[in-house]
Amino acid sequence: QRPVRQPGQGVVQRGVLEARIDHAFVEPFPVRHGSLHITASVGLAFAGPGEDVSDQLVVNADIAMYQAKRRGGASHAIIDLREALLSSDRFHIAADLAAAFAGERLDVAYQPIVQTSDGLITGVEALLRWNDPLREPIRTTTMVEIAEQNGLIVQVGEWVLERSCRDRETWRRQHPESPLTLAVNVSPRQLLAPDFASTVDDVLERTGMDPAALTLEMTESIFIEDNDRTMSVLGALKKLGVRLALDDFGTGYSSLSYLEQFPVDIVKIDQGFIANILLKPGGSPMPAAITHLAHGLGLNVIAEGVETVAQRDEMVSIGCEMSQGYYYARPMPGAALADCLGASPGQGLRLPSLGTAHPRPSPSTQSAVANRRRRASRA
Ligand code: C2E
Ligand code: MG
Ligand code: MG
């Protein structure tokens, strides 16, 4: 019931306006030989005070009217200009993104994944980037969300996978002494696309990438949809020999049974927990709880979003073996990562200016190894 200014009528309440229109159609209309009862499909469009949008308002009212007709008529449909602008903005982003993909203007950045204690790089995560000089930078999460909605993520995701596998193979040939693992994000729509596992298999074949060095990261949202189908795709991926990681763990539905039921190898603690870890006196118990739980199930753990030495030290003392975050390195172009690798040949990459923390012996790490062995011997 937001006040709406109508030309020449002052301010009218939204509901009042609709009631007036309804009222006008209650009585039959007299025609020459009797009367005619008609209904109306009404499209209403609104804008806030001071918004000079008359053309857009007429267009939106028209769109709303057709929505009302599609509902079977005799009803109202309303478009709020701000919502419409938002969706038309997303519409334009989607169109530009498709053009950028077709024009090979998308890119991949790589963020090192390191041993928490000493910053030794053991892998990288591939992150989609769209650096278009002609438009404002757009957040990767927004881009992925839009591509997920219109389905473009299926092709874009395959491109990210192939491009990053090729880059990783180049680095491996240049530095066979310190081969990196590669993590690639996969969204629910990609996972449930027909033949996703064979797409991955084909990419591995085309690029010569070792499946054991590839981790596919997915969030718990994959479990919302068709669980039988999800389970069978995850099984097919495991048969290829790739590893699976649960990304942003702890933010979603976090059903602990997922961890046991699904063939996951790695848990990535969401960066929100790491950011909060030292905020309360005594710290947040979540990172330790997740780490111990995951180790108890024989899974590896990666802390995401480690930004400070204090957070790093805390994760070392908890026994979380791997980390990723601005403290160690920000995502960087492939060429920059190659330069880092070239800077310390034969030693793997130890990021500059990082002190080495000495981990307390962690019983949970030892039991994780034992559990993993047990799981492997059962399989
Ligand atoms: P994610 O997979 O959880 O990736 C980690 C995100 O955290 C990245 O954001 C990374 O730049 C950011 N990050 C890393 N360290 C820090 C830190 O210390 N502090 C803070 N504040 N942030 C940090 P980015 O690159 O914007 O990506 C956002 C999300 O977009 C990713 O989250 C992933 O879910 C999705 N995404 C990225 N690339 C792809 C892709 O190729 N395919 C799909 N399906 N999703 C992708
Ligand atoms: Mg990820
Ligand atoms: Mg994450």
Side-chain angles (χ1 to χ4, degrees):
Q1 296 295 310
R2 185 152 68 85
V4 179
R5 188 172 296 281
Q6 295 295 306
Q9 290 186 356
V11 171
V12 181
Q13 292 296 111
R14 205 184 236 197
V16 173
L17 183 65
E18 290 162 56
R20 262 198 220 157
I21 297 171
D22 276 344
H23 187 70
F25 288 90
V26 170
E27 295 294 321
F29 289 86
V31 289
R32 191 146 33 118
H33 300 295
S35 63
L36 203 58
H37 203 110
I38 59 170
T39 58
S41 298
V42 182
L44 297 158
F46 294 93
E51 286 171 343
D52 180 14
V53 288
S54 41
D55 289 349
Q56 188 70 46
L57 269 177
V58 174
V59 170
N60 287 346
D62 213 35
I63 295 171
M65 182 191 70
Y66 280 103
Q67 278 178 6
K69 278 184 188 292
R70 276 200 299 277
R71 282 181 203 157
S75 69
H76 300 152
I78 300 173
I79 286 191
D80 188 294
L81 187 68
R82 263 161 280 186
E83 284 160 21
L85 284 178
L86 206 66
S87 67
S88 88
D89 208 29
R90 293 173 79 86
F91 177 79
H92 287 121
I93 294 174
D96 289 355
L97 180 61
F101 176 57
E104 300 181 2
R105 296 196 306 277
L106 297 185
D107 207 351
V108 178
Y110 296 95
Q111 185 176 33
I113 298 175
V114 304
Q115 282 180 184
T116 308
S117 56
D118 58 7
L120 182 77
I121 295 195
T122 58
V124 287
E125 177 173 4
L127 296 159
L128 180 62
R129 289 290 180 268
W130 180 11
N131 303 315
D132 194 333
L134 299 179
R135 62 170 305 130
E136 279 181 24
I138 174 162
R139 286 166 48 156
T140 302
T141 35
T142 310
M143 181 176 28
V144 169
E145 202 183 295
I146 290 174
E148 175 78 7
Q149 263 167 15
N150 70 6
L152 188 66
I153 195 68
V154 174
Q155 289 109 292
V156 171
E158 182 176 346
W159 174 80
V160 171
L161 182 65
E162 176 147 2
R163 161 75 187 275
S164 55
C165 284
R166 282 194 196 290
D167 282 350
R168 187 266 176 190
E169 277 307 286
T170 306
W171 301 325
R172 188 189 59 79
R173 278 195 299 275
Q174 290 165 351
H175 304 284
E177 71 288 351
S178 48
L180 301 176
T181 59
L182 168 69
V184 178
N185 292 285
V186 172
S187 65
R189 192 139 179 190
Q190 283 175 268
L191 193 82
L192 294 179
D195 300 329
F196 178 66
S198 22
T199 302
V200 174
D201 197 19
D202 291 346
V203 172
L204 292 169
E205 185 79 36
R206 284 202 292 273
T207 58
M209 169 95 184
D210 172 12
L214 177 65
T215 301
L216 297 177
E217 297 192 356
M218 43 206 94
T219 62
E220 292 152 88
S221 57
I222 58 161
F223 300 125
I224 303 172
E225 300 210 14
D226 188 344
N227 261 356
D228 289 344
R229 176 110 180 270
T230 303
M231 191 61 182
S232 103
V233 181
L234 295 183
L237 290 171
K238 285 300 298 172
K239 277 209 186 106
L240 296 179
V242 303
R243 307 218 302 158
L244 303 179
L246 258 189
D247 208 346
D248 306 343
F249 186 77
T251 51
Y253 299 85
S254 299
S255 163
L256 296 181
S257 66
Y258 293 149
L259 282 183
E260 224 185 356
Q261 251 176 291
F262 291 90
V264 170
D265 304 282
I266 300 167
V267 170
K268 297 188 77 172
I269 306 175
D270 185 70
Q271 48 184 269
F273 294 121
I274 309 300
N276 288 338
I277 195 167
L278 294 165
L279 290 186
K280 289 192 224 163
S284 158
M286 289 304 285
I290 295 174
T291 303
H292 295 152
L293 172 75
H295 283 167
L297 293 166
L299 310 177
N300 283 120
V301 185
I302 301 178
E304 292 191 272
V306 174
E307 294 186 348
T308 65
V309 67
Q311 290 168 349
R312 188 276 309 258
D313 288 348
E314 195 60 24
M315 294 319 292
V316 170
S317 77
I318 285 170
C320 172
E321 61 273 25
M322 308 290 282
S323 290
Q324 187 180 349
Y326 296 168
Y327 169 70
Y328 298 99
R330 286 182 179 253
M332 58 183 99
L337 189 86
D339 287 348
C340 288
L341 293 174
S344 51
Q347 301 181 13
L349 169 60
R350 216 170 289 265
L351 290 152
S353 73
L354 296 179
T356 301
H358 297 288
R360 277 194 232 135
S362 157
S364 54
T365 312
Q366 289 157 16
S367 69
V369 173
N371 274 322
R372 181 168 285 287
R373 288 208 188 105
R374 272 200 295 279
R375 275 170 64 142
S377 65
R378 275 207 308 269

